[in-house]
Amino acid sequence: MAWKQITVSRRMLFIWFMLAGFIVLLSPQNLTNKFQFAFTYVFRWPLTIGRNISLSAAKQQPIRDKDMVSRVEYERLLNHLANVTQQRDDAQRNIQNLSKMRNIPAWERTGFVLANVITVSVDRLIINRGKEDGLEKDQFVLADNSIIGTISDVGTRSARVRLFTDPASVIAVNIGNTDWRLMKGCGNNQAKVEMVKRKLDIDTKIMARKTPGFLDTPMIIGKVVRCEHNDQPLVWDITVEPVCNIQEIESIHVIVMNPSE
Amino acid sequence: MHWFRFAVLVLLATVLQASLLADWNTKPDLLLILLVFFAVYCDTSDAIICSFVIGFAADLIGQTMGPQMISYGIFGSALAYLHRVIAIRQIPYQIIAIFITALLAGSVACLLNFLKGEPSPLAPLFWIALYSGIVGPILFLLSAWWMRIRKPGRFGRR
């Protein structure tokens, strides 16, 4: 049986593909995300292997002196942590006694979903947990005990994390004990908080603000790396960087408030 | 045109870009290098198809779906037509072609991302273009071997 050869002019070919491109571009994002999640799910093994090779190559770099801590120093810090934890527990007991009411610590109402990072794109991660694991949009994501971003899209078995350094990210952060501002990502592993009323020192810790339904207690999100004068007098713009090395993250925790189990 | 070999090559480049190169701050764009390769070594109709397919693959590992399919499609097709007038066979020309295509396609993709409400940083674009230009000719040799192109213009130019 002879096949009739279909000939399409180059112009028509180009127009058809452009049309397809615009349909994909203008389709709702929750629909088009399914393509990305499907690709990540189908190729999760080679993607994970490739990333592990990349991470192990990075870890083979010689350790710098400033990254090393002696055994004695390590023990000392561990003891300090134990002391601080004990002091905190004592303080919490005192508060309960004084207030005569049961004070449920924030983390007792919180569940953590452990997820592995499949791949990293520009200021975003794709993880191997999704709706089936209780993930929802806007939930906070932790790595090395610090917030690194929020869930931006959720698939059935995978989800995308938008890092707080992503230009599309906006997260409320505390400035001192009373003031709060919106922190906007600006790419290049940095975020900015504008119009701060006082100058902050370099390495000052920045805490994510309590968000009802998503975060019950302020948590560390980054540290100040630059504090510059704004164009307006008496206000400052601060630049914030993550407190952990996001490029080397292998697994993360998603904060799920009031988990069903 | 060996379409099966093309599919394997594009999938391999996509997986490598999203895994092995994902953690690098400044990295070459393997898919963009392939875009220029197929625009230079395929006939114009095949080059148009390749450009859009590679753009779609870039979208699969990118921020949003659509911007790179459109930008790669436009500039891949334009390069294929340009190659009918000016031969891009010598290595320096190929480096320049990759560099300029990376800058233009990247800028349009950034613009479309911005219009879609998902802004992406423009700053790394120059370095991606530069690294792609440097790595490009080496990847051209590997791609030519895989696609069984023994001499330039094997697929002919129609």
Side-chain angles (χ1 to χ4, degrees), chain A residues 101-162:
Chain A
M101 55 190 277
R102 185 163 150 58
N103 183 18
I104 303 168
W107 296 125
E108 282 188 13
R109 294 192 299 269
T110 306
F112 295 95
V113 176
L114 176 68
N116 290 328
V117 176
I118 300 176
T119 178
V120 181
S121 62
V122 187
D123 290 320
R124 284 156 205 231
L125 313 172
I126 291 186
I127 56 173
N128 65 345
R129 293 282 182 270
K131 274 181 194 155
E132 286 183 352
D133 307 287
L135 265 59
E136 286 172 18
K137 200 170 177 244
D138 294 333
Q139 284 171 337
F140 283 86
V141 176
L142 293 173
D144 292 347
N145 291 326
S146 67
I147 287 172
I148 57 166
T150 54
I151 300 284
S152 63
D153 302 291
V154 194
T156 317
R157 294 192 192 106
S158 48
R160 185 183 289 138
V161 178
R162 177 182 284 150

Side-chain angles (χ1 to χ4, degrees), chain B residues 22 25 42 53 84 91 98 113:
Chain B
N25 289 327
C42 287
V53 171
R84 288 154 66 104
I91 288 176
I98 293 169
N113 271 326

Side-chain angles (χ1 to χ4, degrees), chain A residues 44-70:
Chain A
R44 62 191 183 280
W45 294 114
L47 287 170
T48 309
I49 291 167
R51 186 151 194 275
N52 287 344
I53 293 169
S54 174
L55 286 176
S56 57
K59 279 176 187 165
Q60 280 170 6
Q61 288 171 354
I63 301 167
R64 292 165 295 181
D65 283 347
K66 72 182 180 88
D67 293 334
M68 287 200 299
V69 175
S70 68

Side-chain angles (χ1 to χ4, degrees), chain A residues 10 13-14 17-18 21 24-25 29 32 35-36 39 43 47 50-51 54 119-121 124 160 162 167 247, chain B residues 11 14 18-20 22-23 44-45 49 52 59-65 67 77 81 84 116 118-119 158:
Chain A
R10 288 182 199 117
L13 199 65
F14 181 77
F17 274 112
M18 278 301 282
V24 172
L25 182 75
Q29 200 163 339
T32 54
F35 287 107
Q36 294 179 317
F39 173 80
F43 292 97
L47 287 170
R51 186 151 194 275
S54 174
T119 178
V120 181
S121 62
R124 284 156 205 231
R160 185 183 289 138
R162 177 182 284 150
Q247 298 297 327
Chain B
L11 273 177
T14 311
S19 58
L20 212 60
D23 295 315
T44 314
S45 299
I49 298 169
F52 281 99
D59 277 333
L60 285 176
I61 56 168
Q63 269 183 277
T64 52
M65 292 294 291
S77 305
Y81 275 104
R84 288 154 66 104
K116 212 178 173 184
E118 298 278 338
R158 282 164 279 171

Side-chain angles (χ1 to χ4, degrees), chain A residues 36 103 112 119 168 182 191 200-201 229 231 233 240 245 257-258:
Chain A
Q36 294 179 317
N103 183 18
F112 295 95
T119 178
L182 290 176
L200 295 178
D201 295 328
H229 261 301
D231 294 336
V240 179
N245 189 349
M257 299 303 291
N258 302 317

Side-chain angles (χ1 to χ4, degrees), chain A residues 182-253:
Chain A
L182 290 176
M183 181 169 73
K184 292 175 187 169
C186 49
N188 204 17
N189 204 34
Q190 290 183 333
K192 273 209 160 173
V193 187
E194 292 178 340
M195 312 286 276
V196 177
K197 286 176 186 166
R198 63 192 176 91
K199 187 180 180 183
L200 295 178
D201 295 328
I202 304 297
D203 285 340
T204 304
K205 302 283 184 277
I206 299 294
M207 313 294 274
R209 195 167 187 250
K210 271 201 303 192
T211 312
F214 293 102
L215 190 66
D216 254 9
T217 181
M219 280 205 76
I220 186 165
I221 190 167
K223 63 180 179 185
V224 176
V225 290
R226 213 164 36 247
C227 188
E228 294 161 331
H229 261 301
N230 187 279
D231 294 336
Q232 295 182 32
L234 301 175
V235 285
W236 303 78
D237 291 344
I238 58 170
T239 307
V240 179
E241 276 187 2
V243 280
C244 63
N245 189 349
I246 290 173
Q247 298 297 327
E248 289 180 9
I249 292 170
E250 289 178 44
S251 60
I252 52 106
H253 287 91

